[in-house]
Amino acid sequence: MAFSLGLLAYQAVSNRMMGFAERKLQARLKAGKEDPDRVDERRGEASQPRPQGTLIWFHAASVGESLSLLLLIDQILDEFPDLNVLVTTGTRSSAEVLVDRLPAQIIHQFVPLDVGPYVARFLDHWKPDVAIWTESELWPNLITQTAARGTKMMLLNARMSRVSHDRWRWLPSASKAVLRRFGSIFAQDEATAGYLRRLGARRDTLHVIGSLKESSGALPHDEAERLHFVDLLKTRPVWLAASTHPGEEEIAVEAHLAALKSAHRLLLILAPRHPERTPEITEMLRRRGLSVAIRSEGREPDPSTQVYLVDTLGEMGLWYRLAPATFLGGSLVNIGGHNPYEPAALGSAIIHGPHVTNAPDIYSRLDEAGAAIPVRNAKELARAVTDTLEPHKAASYAHAAWEVTSSGAGATERALAEITDMLDALEVGA
């Protein structure tokens, strides 16, 4: 196993950081970012007993990552019905969404902070037989302590941006030591695979299989609610600004005001990435003189509503189905862009900004195929929205996007085969 002074130093320091960790937890609680009823899970204290038998543990950082696992987990349970499944995430929003979607036999817990004693407490209780990390969240203590206990480990759906690579390269021995704990690594794209190789991942364990999100299926929705909104909106033109970040709501408003000049009944459905920002967004919208209805207050858009602020979780499947065109946030500010597979699977044309480093491969494929509309500012966004108000144009973009994003489906099947081999070696269900 790779040796690293940097990793040893990190572990030594983090083992003595419980005071700092507690202050961080208290600050997050105050900000509403932690569930007060479950905050002990962040200290590694389990809120449920460990079931008897083999347990496979999936860790996903956020909502999108965890949802991309659901189809895979369903297929694993079809093959191994007696298997126990633990899913950990790090955000309150991910927990709120998953609670309604996970089958009863799957346990959800918050991942512990990467402090030695917290991690040890978590692992002492759950004793996972197989551990699978997804996407980009690599916590050194959690990974090394899990490996030290002989747990079979996989990094699945791996994604790494240039920024993350550049941070890790300052600690080359640490990155090598962490990555070589995984028995296999499955990357979403060649760019990620290249970064991981440079950071020390073994070539014989590294494979490019595409993204789980390409084959994760369409987001669910309430069909009665969709029909209700179809009747409510009738022929009114609609566009969606999804997963927006600070600065992007202002750009979306500028674009909306410009588009209203040629489409006076146009409705903007605004879905911020972080719903807790509703008060500041509402104040900005009203300051701009826009009529606003807020979803969490139980209001619906009436004919005078210009912006419908949807600040609830787990309903993106509904909004993508209603909007012929979607601007995907995190791309006009330097966040890196968000998941284009979801709107593409549901027939919504994709508009995005230039900052798409979180998934450069898929965005490049969309642009090259003429399946998405890249924009740089409010003026270009307004032009793109106006363009997609013509039904045949929106449908053309949406169909092209669907073809691009579905062409690489198969990552789930490859991942399922590898995980099945791991579980067969443990003689699960034998």
Side-chain angles (χ1 to χ4, degrees), residues 25-41:
L25 277 179
Q26 293 306 314
R28 288 178 60 82
L29 275 169
K30 187 175 180 180
K33 295 182 178 180
E34 297 288 348
D35 183 341
D37 295 326
R38 298 180 60 184
V39 69
D40 282 346
E41 293 174 25

Side-chain angles (χ1 to χ4, degrees), residues 365-381:
R365 285 160 54 198
L366 286 166
D367 292 345
E368 288 173 5
I373 308 173
V375 299
R376 295 170 295 178
N377 50 46
K379 183 178 180 180
E380 292 183 3
L381 178 56

Side-chain angles (χ1 to χ4, degrees), residues 56-60 69 76 130-134 152-156 419 422:
I56 184 170
W57 164 36
F58 290 90
H59 174 62
L69 289 172
I76 292 170
V130 174
I132 298 176
W133 270 259
T134 60
K152 292 179 177 291
M153 296 173 60
M154 175 189 293
L155 177 57
L156 180 62
I419 294 169
M422 295 170 74

Side-chain angles (χ1 to χ4, degrees), residues 314-338:
E315 294 191 300
M316 291 310 299
L318 172 62
W319 313 129
Y320 287 136
R321 283 175 171 88
L322 288 172
T326 295
F327 163 68
L328 281 172
S331 62
L332 278 172
V333 293
N334 196 13
I335 299 296
H338 292 299

Side-chain angles (χ1 to χ4, degrees), residues 62-388:
S62 61
V63 175
E65 294 175 18
S66 53
L67 291 179
S68 71
L69 289 172
L70 293 183
L71 177 62
L72 175 62
I73 292 173
D74 284 344
Q75 292 176 340
I76 292 170
L77 289 174
D78 284 342
E79 186 77 17
F80 302 96
D82 296 326
L83 184 67
N84 301 296
V85 179
L86 171 69
V87 176
T88 58
T89 59
T91 64
R92 188 172 181 176
S93 57
S94 62
E96 292 170 355
V97 170
L98 284 175
V99 161
D100 295 328
R101 301 191 185 179
L102 289 178
Q105 71 190 98
I106 301 177
I107 299 169
H108 174 269
Q109 297 280 278
F110 285 107
V111 71
L113 298 182
D114 203 44
V115 176
Y118 294 170
V119 170
R121 189 181 296 152
F122 172 86
L123 293 172
D124 286 344
H125 177 83
W126 292 108
K127 299 181 176 65
D129 298 283
V130 174
I132 298 176
W133 270 259
T134 60
E135 297 220 10
S136 57
E137 192 164 87
L138 301 175
W139 293 109
N141 272 327
L142 201 57
I143 291 168
T144 55
Q145 284 202 37
T146 301
R149 295 169 185 241
T151 304
K152 292 179 177 291
M153 296 173 60
M154 175 189 293
L155 177 57
L156 180 62
N157 216 34
R159 173 177 57 83
M160 178 168 282
S161 68
R162 178 63 179 268
V163 173
S164 295
H165 165 266
D166 290 349
R167 286 198 203 103
W168 274 102
R169 71 176 182 175
W170 292 103
L171 294 168
S173 64
S175 65
K176 180 178 180 179
V178 168
L179 290 171
R180 294 202 172 189
R181 258 67 177 189
F182 293 104
S184 53
I185 299 174
F186 296 98
Q188 293 187 21
D189 50 49
E190 291 291 349
T192 289
Y195 291 146
L196 294 174
R197 279 192 293 269
R198 286 196 286 274
L199 291 174
R202 293 198 308 272
R203 290 179 178 271
D204 62 322
T205 65
L206 184 57
H207 313 277
V208 179
I209 64 170
S211 171
L212 290 183
K213 292 172 182 174
E214 293 189 41
S215 49
S216 60
L219 289 177
H221 75 295
D222 183 328
E223 178 61 9
E225 191 78 345
R226 188 192 70 82
L227 292 173
H228 169 70
F229 270 92
V230 168
D231 182 62
L232 184 72
L233 297 171
K234 294 183 169 61
T235 60
R236 188 172 182 184
V238 175
W239 71 289
L240 169 66
S243 294
T244 56
H245 291 260
E248 287 184 316
E249 291 87 12
E250 289 82 356
I251 296 172
V253 164
E254 289 292 336
H256 189 57
L257 289 170
L260 279 169
K261 294 175 183 177
S262 57
H264 304 299
R265 299 169 57 242
L266 182 63
L267 175 68
L268 165 60
I269 299 176
L270 179 57
R273 184 71 171 179
H274 302 290
E276 64 270 16
R277 295 182 52 243
T278 290
E280 66 182 82
I281 296 171
T282 303
E283 181 183 356
M284 181 273 294
L285 293 171
R286 289 176 174 155
R287 192 170 61 245
R288 297 302 302 271
L290 290 162
S291 173
V292 184
I294 302 173
R295 177 74 166 167
S296 63
E297 294 180 355
R299 294 185 58 196
E300 294 181 340
D302 61 34
S304 68
T305 303
Q306 295 166 304
V307 179
Y308 189 33
L309 181 54
V310 292
D311 56 344
T312 50
L313 295 170
E315 294 191 300
M316 291 310 299
L318 172 62
W319 313 129
Y320 287 136
R321 283 175 171 88
L322 288 172
T326 295
F327 163 68
L328 281 172
S331 62
L332 278 172
V333 293
N334 196 13
I335 299 296
H338 292 299
N339 178 10
Y341 299 107
E342 293 172 350
L346 294 173
S348 190
I350 295 169
I351 306 168
H352 67 86
H355 302 288
V356 291
T357 53
N358 286 341
D361 178 66
I362 182 58
Y363 276 103
S364 176
R365 285 160 54 198
L366 286 166
D367 292 345
E368 288 173 5
I373 308 173
V375 299
R376 295 170 295 178
N377 50 46
K379 183 178 180 180
E380 292 183 3
L381 178 56
R383 189 181 304 126
V385 169
T386 302
D387 190 41
T388 55

